[in-house]
Amino acid sequence: MAERVLITGARAVAALDLARSLRAAGYEPHLADCSPAWIARASRSAGPVHRYASPVDQPAAFARDVRRLITRLDPVRIIPTCEEVFHLAALAEADAFSERLFAPRPDRLTTLHAKDRFAALCRSLSLPVPDTTVVADQAALADVAGRAGDQVFKPVWSRFGARTLVVPGPAALANLVPTPDAPWVVQRRIIGEEVSFYAVCREGRVVAFCAYGSDWRLPGGAGYAFRPLPAHQTARLRPLADALAAFAGTGQIACDAIFGAHGQPWLIECNPRATSGIHLFDRAPAFGQALMGRGEAEPVAGPCHLSTALWLQGLPTALRRGQLADWRIQRRDGRDALAAPDDAGPRLGALADVAVFGLRAARGGRSLTGAMTADIEWNGQPLTPDLWLPDPARR
């Protein structure tokens, strides 16, 4: 009987490719999420999809549901995909299933996720990072406001480039209200090529690595088409991943970087979870084995994209910017990360998920990307065992 693996964050396209790679490697993948995750439910090649409560809105029910899933499925590994990783890591430590969870321990996750702590970590490891200042009150904001001409402002706890201000003017800065609970960072602006890398780490060592760029992005910065970087750029980024893997231990780490003057890479921020770099491994069984600690994996050559986003977002963008020829080349030459052979269902599933999150965004007065993470995101608040007690028992 095949060993079972539980993949959380089934709403993400990355979860599809995780499941497909694990199935190709001989495992039995199961997926789970607190959203409908139609993208996974519509797939014939991923696996069964289970439901748990939102860790943000219903932490006690989330803990109950996860415990029941672990008892019922008895997975040999639990692989988080999205920001539920922070909630799972804290619960795993309290419930003693950390050895099953494919993620760094909570304190290391926090260091990698928080933009100020990540910058400090990079400095301690002698990794290139822009000058970074923490702003936690109006006085600190006033101290840096005069230098805003070459600075980037962003919340310490944020994702998808949300609320990032690049060289903001006085009016934009006047609207900022940093606090100790919701601090911001101010970084020296680096001008150059924006890139990313993704790494799978086992016991401090990188066992799968890819570096990529994205020429097609949603407003805010999230990409939906991905191309492998040239070998010389990949070689400049790999040592940075190796150093961070030694700190992270076991799990997934992904970083955004910028190649500045003279080809110098600068680390900007880190996501200690799955990202779109997974798609560059093209669902290969070797990638599934690497996730399970059985060998290493190399990415597959060639670009890829999310077909639904390429049509819905990319085509209007191409028409508006006069880039229709580039759009056609991407569509022709890129592999579709959504559909697989005999498995086109996720394309329709993606549309259903966009509709669900779009409705949530409209009801909650949020952006679409904000609605996609509101029920799982973590913004530095304490995750203590009392959160997972039933309400009447909670102090």
Side-chain angles (χ1 to χ4, degrees):
M1 185 175 179
E3 293 179 307
R4 290 174 178 165
V5 179
L6 177 60
I7 302 165
T8 61
R11 71 189 67 189
V13 187
L16 275 180
D17 272 2
L18 281 171
R20 288 161 169 165
S21 292
L22 287 164
R23 186 174 297 282
Y27 298 92
E28 181 185 327
H30 289 247
L31 298 94
D33 206 316
C34 56
S35 81
W38 290 112
I39 195 171
R41 292 183 185 278
S43 173
R44 299 173 58 186
S45 61
V49 181
H50 308 275
R51 194 77 178 261
Y52 49 70
S54 162
V56 173
D57 301 324
Q58 299 174 284
F62 166 75
R64 177 203 65 206
D65 293 345
V66 168
R67 289 164 178 155
R68 288 176 178 175
L69 276 173
I70 292 174
T71 298
R72 181 156 56 93
L73 298 176
D74 191 24
V76 295
R77 190 81 70 244
I78 302 168
I79 304 178
T81 306
C82 306
E83 284 200 21
E84 79 283 348
V85 62
F86 304 104
H87 306 275
L88 279 170
L91 180 62
E93 193 164 82
D95 280 15
F97 64 86
S98 294
E99 294 305 314
R100 296 196 200 196
L101 187 67
F102 194 70
R105 299 302 170 106
D107 58 336
R108 300 190 180 193
L109 279 170
T110 301
T111 297
L112 294 166
H113 180 49
K115 293 177 178 60
D116 56 341
R117 299 184 200 184
F118 177 65
L121 171 67
C122 290
R123 288 194 296 270
S124 72
L125 298 175
S126 299
L127 301 179
V129 62
D131 297 334
T132 303
T133 302
V134 184
V135 174
D137 54 39
Q138 293 299 128
L141 178 61
D143 286 343
V144 300
R147 296 181 279 118
D150 64 346
Q151 304 280 14
V152 176
F153 292 66
K154 62 182 78 172
V156 165
W157 310 103
S158 60
R159 68 272 321 144
F160 300 130
R163 297 191 289 159
T164 296
L165 302 174
V166 180
V167 191
L173 290 178
N175 292 325
L176 294 191
V177 186
T179 68
D181 290 333
W184 285 59
V185 292
V186 183
Q187 287 189 324
R188 177 171 61 88
R189 184 187 185 194
I190 305 295
I191 298 175
E193 181 184 2
E194 298 180 13
V195 299
S196 302
F197 66 75
Y198 165 80
V200 174
C201 315
R202 298 284 317 181
E203 299 178 351
R205 191 173 66 86
V206 172
V207 295
F209 176 82
C210 67
Y212 59 98
S214 178
D215 300 319
W216 300 89
R217 297 175 179 270
L218 295 170
Y224 52 88
F226 318 100
R227 53 175 171 77
L229 293 184
H232 71 279
Q233 289 184 316
T234 299
R236 295 292 299 270
L237 293 171
R238 176 60 188 259
L240 311 186
D242 289 334
L244 292 172
F247 169 81
T250 293
Q252 303 170 90
I253 54 173
C255 289
D256 295 330
I258 296 178
F259 278 103
H262 310 297
Q264 167 67 52
W266 296 88
L267 289 169
I268 304 301
E269 58 186 68
C270 180
N271 299 299
R273 53 173 175 78
T275 63
S276 300
I278 282 175
H279 305 316
L280 296 178
F281 291 91
D282 198 26
R283 309 148 188 160
F287 181 63
Q289 295 287 8
L291 287 164
M292 301 301 291
R294 299 170 183 171
E296 301 187 6
E298 296 290 337
V300 176
C304 61
H305 55 252
L306 310 182
S307 56
T308 302
L310 191 67
W311 278 97
L312 294 182
Q313 183 71 30
L315 182 55
T317 298
L319 292 171
R320 188 171 60 252
R321 297 179 179 175
Q323 296 178 313
L324 189 57
D326 293 334
W327 181 86
R328 285 172 172 159
I329 290 171
Q330 177 65 50
R331 180 171 171 265
R332 181 195 67 201
D333 295 345
R335 291 176 283 107
D336 183 9
L338 273 174
D342 300 319
D343 188 19
R347 290 173 178 160
L348 293 177
L351 293 175
D353 282 336
V354 168
V356 169
F357 288 119
L359 184 59
R360 290 185 187 179
R363 287 175 173 173
R366 298 186 176 99
S367 66
L368 178 60
T369 53
M372 290 174 68
T373 62
D375 56 350
I376 56 171
E377 68 188 34
W378 182 64
N379 296 309
Q381 65 272 25
L383 296 175
T384 53
D386 65 293
L387 288 171
W388 305 311
L389 296 173
D391 286 336
R394 198 180 302 170
R395 293 194 296 268

